[in-house]
Amino acid sequence: LLVILAVSSSGISFAVDRGAEIIQQCRAGVEEIIVNAAGFVPGDSCLVDVTSAAAINVALLCSAYLVVQVAPQAAGSGLPEVKCILSGVGIAGFLSRPVLICKSLALMLVLGESLPVGKEGPFVHIASCVANLILETRMFDKMTLPRDDVLLAAVAVGVGSTFSAPVGGVLFALELMMPRLYDTSAYSACFFASTI
């Protein structure tokens, strides 16, 4: 279970990062085409460069906004909601497949705009969605690992895949489990999942 969680979440993290790089490259190409079509040399006119970059960023931001409108639970960081779920508060539909898809696409578009957006919270949310979807499959019905421990491992994987720092992911997951700090059964699951 933890191997599937780690590989799936890390794969989505890689796809989001690579997609953002491709969007940035396409954005630079489109910006150059717009500037050339206006009859300017790239870098010759700051006003044209800034205007074309702003227009492209607004278009990408609007598309990210539309993606999030499909699943409103995908808006925002997602980290406070995951903390609530780990504390025992159920939030309906927050860890569903549409939220996973919309969050991944919106994060890719926003990162492709080069906006100063943190990836930690969204990747924790994405990894938690993956963990929830894995737990909903029939293959893991008789699993002995508690659901909260799997979600904590997802938090560790989300942070670990964001910063390429598995121990940092474990420490962050331990920070989230402060109300039950001395429950050591989750430590090994978090460490194992984040180091894969």
Side-chain angles (χ1 to χ4, degrees), residues 5-103:
L5 169 64
V7 170
S8 301
S9 297
S10 297
I12 292 172
S13 172
F14 175 77
V16 167
D17 288 339
R18 184 67 185 132
E21 288 175 21
I22 292 170
I23 290 172
Q24 287 175 350
Q25 292 169 356
C26 291
R27 190 181 117 226
V30 168
E31 185 176 323
E32 185 177 333
I33 290 170
I34 291 172
V35 170
N36 288 336
F40 292 97
V41 177
D44 191 29
S45 172
C46 273
L47 182 61
V48 173
D49 288 343
V50 169
T51 304
S52 64
I56 293 168
N57 281 344
V58 167
L60 286 172
L61 189 60
C62 288
S63 60
Y65 175 77
L66 291 175
V67 167
V68 171
Q69 291 306 307
V70 173
Q73 298 92 344
S77 164
L79 192 56
E81 291 85 356
V82 171
K83 286 176 82 170
C84 287
I85 291 171
L86 288 171
S87 297
V89 178
I91 302 175
F94 186 72
L95 301 176
S96 63
R97 186 181 320 270
V99 172
L100 170 66
I101 294 168
C102 289
K103 184 75 147 198

Side-chain angles (χ1 to χ4, degrees), residues 96-186:
S96 63
R97 186 181 320 270
V99 172
L100 170 66
I101 294 168
C102 289
K103 184 75 147 198
S104 301
L105 288 175
L107 182 61
M108 184 186 319
L109 290 169
V110 168
L111 292 176
E113 296 176 45
S114 300
L115 290 177
V117 175
K119 300 187 309 184
E120 177 185 350
F123 276 129
V124 166
H125 186 189
I126 289 169
S128 298
C129 288
V130 169
N132 187 56
L133 292 174
I134 291 171
L135 288 172
E136 288 177 353
T137 61
R138 287 189 296 150
M139 184 169 50
F140 296 108
D141 280 346
K142 296 177 182 161
M143 181 188 62
T144 58
L145 194 61
R147 181 178 187 271
D148 286 348
D149 290 356
V150 175
L151 287 177
L152 273 172
V155 168
V157 168
V159 173
S161 65
T162 300
F163 299 116
S164 298
V167 176
V170 173
L171 292 174
F172 187 77
L174 293 178
E175 179 184 330
L176 286 185
M177 60 184 270
M178 279 300 189
R180 54 188 190 116
L181 184 63
Y182 298 107
D183 181 12
T184 58
S185 65

